[in-house]
């Protein structure tokens, strides 16, 4: 049985007659599959229609994509089309308790949305850490008016792989016995979810390699021995052709590169996907962090060119990329300052957080709240005390200042948008705009960004997509610990332009969750029962602490006074003086 059942129905010609739009339907039965992708440890993974790795979904600009999902797992699930704007279909975005409730076991949900972008994307579960168990696959969108020419498309996925399930690893990570917040270290690095994949090049041909990092944790460095990589796309945004010898891709980032094959078959070559081990607290004995795959020009021999794996010595930097379609930066209407770090919180766990408060999912999906509370939708409080909701005005140019106080780099993804990277610096942005080297002349645009340790980046996006959009660290361990905020964008406009389908209310009710109301599933601003109260441990004395300290001080003073009194008023000495005899020896 094929991994997907794909149907093309309702073909409609564009007015120009130059292209056709199709309704592309995939029937997806999410199932468990047994697999051993690194040849080291067989385990149960999450696949589709009994198949894993899951093949790519292929559509064309202008199509309508339909994914008919049936959950045959014994656990909830969801699907998120990473990088798709979902303009007008916010409820199809997929993150659980942001735009929908989880799909319960033995339940169906249809995702349907218009394809309004071109490029390289992927689809993954957005329920807890489930995509690290295998529920992830490429989404490739062909452009009928492709600006670059090449002979063949090849999809290359990079991913970290764990022998333990995401649930077992989450129990270890989110634990009072892990106060430093050490993340589970992957057991393997994979190319195309395999340690044995091979590729073939024909001399003289030009290949478009669509490279996707589908990891839950690891950043990858990518090279091909003795081949240049000409970047033409980053996260679905075309760029001017830029030649590099290596790339880094954080979790969830994508690049398209053109590679022109050599003219002879004298040598075969290796491609390399190397995990960034700086991110790992420990490097277990036996871990091979580097995945390699042969590229055969001639399968009749094993004569490989000398290995030139640049790996972590790569000097690649994405801010130097120039978008193909120019768009100058404009001054912001609104600024949001987000400083992030990690620390032990009042529940005893090490959590990630923006501005000293971790994200806690509400009892009702934020999108459902936005559509069902009327005029209160513009009130940030209605979404829940720790939903970390920021309400944005329609069409404002929003500037995000992202300060990283942590010792490691972090990848952040904004749903529903691409953004411009307009500034980069070290330390914490102090607000002095004259000290910043602004990148205002057609800055790079993308949807996932790396924030370096001890540094900051400033990004901008236009709030032109009404809905609730999560902004989160794409290291899945960190998202689960609370490193996220929600941008509720033009909720008043969303209510006028869209209607929440009953399907998404019924979905919540099927899982025993309220589908309407505020973040607590109630009316008005009665948020009693909504998740809250997990905060940083107070760095100082509480009222009780001050009382206890005062009691200790008073007790100490009384005790010292008693000692002094006793020393000055020895009753035995007075008795000896009355009896006229010396003290005993």
């Amino acid at each position: 049985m094929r991994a997907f059942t794909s149907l093309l129905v309702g073909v409609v010609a564009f007015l120009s007659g130059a292209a056709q739009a199709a309704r592309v339907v995939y029937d997806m039965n999410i199932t468990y599959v047994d697999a051993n992708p690194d040849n080291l440890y067989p385990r149960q993974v999450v696949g589709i229609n009994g198949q894993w790795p899951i093949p790519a979904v292929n559509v064309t600009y202008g199509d309508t994509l339909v994914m008919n999902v049936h959950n045959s797992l014994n656990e909830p699930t969801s699907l998120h089309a990473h990088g798709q704007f979902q303009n007008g279909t916010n409820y199809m975005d997929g993150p659980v308790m942001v735009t929908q409730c989880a799909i319960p076991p033995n339940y169906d949900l249809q995702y349907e949305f218009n394809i309004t972008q071109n490029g390289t994307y992927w689809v993954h579960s957005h329920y807890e850490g489930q995509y690290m168990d295998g529920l992830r696959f490429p989404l490739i969108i062909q452009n009928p008016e492709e600006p670059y020419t090449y002979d063949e498309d090849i999809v290359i996925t990079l991913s970290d792989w764990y022998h333990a399930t995401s649930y077992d690893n989450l129990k270890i990570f989110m634990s009072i016995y892990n106060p430093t917040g050490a993340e589970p270290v992957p057991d393997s690095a994979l190319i195309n979810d395999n340690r044995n994949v091979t590729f073939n090049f024909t001399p003289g041909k030009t290949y478009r390699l669509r490279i996707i990092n589908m990891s839950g944790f690891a950043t990858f460095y990518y090279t091909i021995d003795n081949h240049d990589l000409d970047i033409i796309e980053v996260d679905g945004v075309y760029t001017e052709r830029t030649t590099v010898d290596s790339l880094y891709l954080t979790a969830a980032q994508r690049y398209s590169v053109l590679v022109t094959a050599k003219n002879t078959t004298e040598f075969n070559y290796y491609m390399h996907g190397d995990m960034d081990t700086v991110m790992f607290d420990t490097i277990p004995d036996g871990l091979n962090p580097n995945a390699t795959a042969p590229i055969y020009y001639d399968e009749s021999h094993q004569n490989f060119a000398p290995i030139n794996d640049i790996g972590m010595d790569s000097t690649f930097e994405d801010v130097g990329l120039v978008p193909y379609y120019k768009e100058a930066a404009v001054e912001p209407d609104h600024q949001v300052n987000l400083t992030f770090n990690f620390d032990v919180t009042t529940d005893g766990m090490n959590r990630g957080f923006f501005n000293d408060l971790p994200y806690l999912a509400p009892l009702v999906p934020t999108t459902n709240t936005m559509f069902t509370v009327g005029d209160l939708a513009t009130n940030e409080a209605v979404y829940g005390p720790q939903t970390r909701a920021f309400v944005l005005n329609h069409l404002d140019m929003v500037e995000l200042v992202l300060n990283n106080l942590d010792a490691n780099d972090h990848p952040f993804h904004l749903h529903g948008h691409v953004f411009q990277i307009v500034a980069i610096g070290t330390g914490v942005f102090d607000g002095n705009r004259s000290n910043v080297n602004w990148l205002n002349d057609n800055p790079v645009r993308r949807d996932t960004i790396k924030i370096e340790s001890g540094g900051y980046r400033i990004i901008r996006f236009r709030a032109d997509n009404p809905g609730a959009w999560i902004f989160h660290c794409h290291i899945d361990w960190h998202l689960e610990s609370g490193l996220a905020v929600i941008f509720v964008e033009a909720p008043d406009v969303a209510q006028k332009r869209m209607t929440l389908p009953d399907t998404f209310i019924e979905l919540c009710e099927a899982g025993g969750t309220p589908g309407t109301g505020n973040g607590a599933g109630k009316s008005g601003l009665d948020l009693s029962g909504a998740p809250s109260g997990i905060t940083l441990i107070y760095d100082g004395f509480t009222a009780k602490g001050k009382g206890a300290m005062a009691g200790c001080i008073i007790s100490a003073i009384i005790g010292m006074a008693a000692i002094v009194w006793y020393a000055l008023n020895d009753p035995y000495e007075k008795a000896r003086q009355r009896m006229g005899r010396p003290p005993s020896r």
Side-chain angles (χ1 to χ4, degrees):
M1 184 177 183
R2 288 167 52 191
F4 298 116
T5 300
S6 178
L7 306 173
L8 299 183
V9 298
V11 177
V12 181
F14 283 119
L15 293 178
S16 65
Q20 290 185 325
R23 179 179 167 86
V24 183
V25 181
Y26 285 89
D27 295 326
M28 301 182 176
N29 183 17
I30 299 178
T31 58
Y32 294 114
V33 181
D34 293 328
N36 185 6
D38 61 0
N39 300 319
L40 297 174
Y41 188 85
R43 56 158 293 189
Q44 187 181 74
V45 305
V46 181
I48 291 180
N49 295 346
Q51 184 172 347
W52 193 89
I54 304 167
V57 163
N58 289 278
V59 290
T60 300
Y61 179 88
D63 286 348
T64 297
L65 175 61
V66 180
M67 297 185 292
N68 292 320
V69 174
H70 177 75
N71 182 9
S72 290
L73 309 176
N74 59 16
E75 60 193 271
T77 192
S78 78
L79 290 181
H80 163 61
H82 182 108
Q84 292 301 285
F85 294 157
Q86 301 287 2
N87 199 307
T89 51
N90 176 232
Y91 37 79
M92 295 289 178
D93 193 41
V96 170
M97 303 317 296
V98 180
T99 64
Q100 68 166 84
C101 289
I103 306 171
N106 198 34
Y107 198 86
D108 298 329
L109 181 67
Q110 182 183 80
Y111 294 96
E112 179 175 349
F113 53 92
N114 296 327
I115 301 299
T116 62
Q117 299 156 256
N118 300 295
T120 307
Y121 304 89
W122 60 305
V123 178
H124 61 84
S125 170
H126 221 299
Y127 174 74
E128 296 191 355
Q130 192 178 64
Y131 87 73
M132 290 186 283
D133 294 321
L135 187 48
R136 58 196 186 194
F137 52 92
L139 169 61
I140 306 304
I141 304 176
Q142 300 293 340
N143 184 1
E145 300 179 0
E146 175 63 49
Y148 289 99
T149 58
Y150 49 89
D151 298 301
E152 189 176 332
D153 250 323
I154 299 177
V155 177
I156 296 171
T157 67
L158 307 172
S159 51
D160 49 22
W161 188 247
Y162 291 88
H163 294 163
T165 69
S166 63
Y167 298 99
D168 289 339
N169 278 329
L170 267 175
K171 289 177 183 177
I172 296 171
F173 176 64
M174 296 295 294
S175 168
I176 60 174
Y177 303 107
N178 184 28
T180 63
E183 301 88 353
V185 175
D187 295 291
S188 294
L190 302 177
I191 296 176
N192 286 10
D193 277 326
N194 201 311
R195 290 292 284 194
N196 300 314
V197 66
T198 62
F199 299 90
N200 295 89
F201 277 8
T202 299
K205 277 192 173 183
T206 297
Y207 295 88
R208 178 177 183 166
L209 307 184
R210 298 177 182 265
I211 309 166
I212 309 169
N213 186 349
M214 300 197 305
S215 296
F217 181 21
T219 288
F220 272 83
Y221 292 90
Y222 180 83
T223 57
I224 299 177
D225 292 338
N226 301 313
H227 286 69
D228 288 332
L229 311 174
D230 289 355
I231 299 171
I232 62 167
E233 178 218 344
V234 51
D235 292 357
V237 178
Y238 285 111
T239 67
E240 293 183 2
R241 193 164 179 158
T242 303
T243 302
V244 298
D245 58 8
S246 61
L247 297 171
Y248 73 75
L249 300 92
T250 71
Q253 289 185 330
R254 296 92 62 208
Y255 288 90
S256 281
V257 299
L258 298 183
V259 177
T260 300
K262 307 289 186 183
N263 288 320
T264 70
T265 61
E266 178 183 4
F267 293 106
N268 299 315
Y269 300 85
Y270 284 106
M271 72 168 62
H272 305 272
D274 300 346
M275 293 192 293
D276 181 3
T277 57
V278 170
M279 303 174 70
F280 303 162
D281 281 55
T282 60
I283 300 179
D285 293 339
L287 171 65
N288 179 4
N290 305 330
T292 60
I295 300 173
Y296 285 104
Y297 279 73
D298 185 346
E299 290 184 320
S300 70
H301 67 76
Q302 295 294 317
N303 186 22
F304 280 83
I307 291 176
N308 182 31
D309 184 10
I310 297 171
M312 293 171 59
D313 292 329
S314 173
T315 59
F316 173 70
E317 176 54 68
D318 65 346
V319 294
L321 298 176
V322 179
Y324 186 89
Y325 298 106
K326 299 188 183 304
E327 185 177 311
V330 300
E331 287 302 298
D333 302 300
H334 180 65
Q335 185 189 81
V336 179
N337 194 308
L338 296 174
T339 298
F340 63 93
N341 204 352
F342 292 77
D343 210 337
V344 176
T345 49
T346 50
D347 61 351
M349 298 183 188
N350 187 293
R351 290 181 176 271
F353 44 79
F354 282 112
N355 298 351
D356 294 340
L357 191 65
Y359 168 83
L360 300 178
L363 299 184
V364 175
T366 300
T367 293
N368 292 38
T369 294
M370 179 185 69
F371 280 116
T372 61
V373 297
D375 292 342
L376 281 176
T378 58
N379 187 330
E380 293 174 352
V382 78
Y383 298 100
Q386 282 189 235
T387 305
R388 308 309 321 280
F390 293 82
V391 172
L392 304 178
N393 294 326
H394 192 219
L395 298 182
D396 270 3
M397 178 59 72
V398 181
E399 180 175 273
L400 300 186
V401 177
L402 304 166
N403 296 300
N404 182 2
L405 301 185
D406 189 47
N408 284 313
D409 302 344
H410 291 268
F412 285 92
H413 171 52
L414 176 62
H415 287 223
H417 292 276
V418 294
F419 46 75
Q420 297 175 314
I421 303 174
V422 297
I424 179 173
T426 58
V428 174
F429 176 61
D430 63 4
N432 188 341
R433 303 180 74 84
S434 63
N435 290 338
V436 175
N437 180 25
W438 294 101
L439 307 171
N440 289 326
D441 183 17
N442 195 28
V444 65
R445 301 191 298 274
R446 63 183 319 164
D447 62 44
T448 305
I449 185 174
K450 179 181 76 170
I451 313 296
E452 289 80 0
S453 62
Y456 69 85
R457 289 201 179 197
I458 301 176
I459 65 176
R460 291 183 196 152
F461 67 95
R462 179 73 68 184
D464 57 2
N465 193 2
W469 308 108
I470 188 171
F471 178 72
H472 64 92
C473 181
H474 221 291
I475 293 175
D476 235 28
W477 310 121
H478 299 166
L479 169 58
E480 292 305 310
S481 77
L483 192 48
V485 296
I486 308 295
F487 293 114
V488 183
E489 191 171 323
D492 51 339
V493 178
Q495 290 176 354
K496 294 175 183 177
R497 292 185 178 179
M498 293 177 275
T499 299
L500 180 67
D502 291 340
T503 301
F504 285 90
I505 298 175
E506 295 164 359
L507 176 66
C508 293
E509 294 170 348
T513 301
T516 62
N518 63 27
K522 299 178 179 179
S523 60
L525 293 177
D526 177 9
L527 292 158
S528 56
S532 66
I534 297 178
T535 63
L536 282 176
I537 297 172
Y538 183 67
D539 187 15
F541 288 105
T542 62
K544 289 183 179 179
K546 291 176 181 178
M549 177 61 75
C552 290
I553 293 172
I554 293 171
S555 296
I557 293 172
I558 292 173
M560 288 186 290
I563 293 171
V564 172
W565 178 87
Y566 190 88
L568 297 176
N569 298 275
D570 184 350
Y572 294 103
E573 177 64 25
K574 291 183 177 180
R576 286 193 294 269
Q577 290 176 355
R578 285 196 303 270
M579 297 173 65
R581 66 177 185 230
S584 60
R585 294 287 188 260

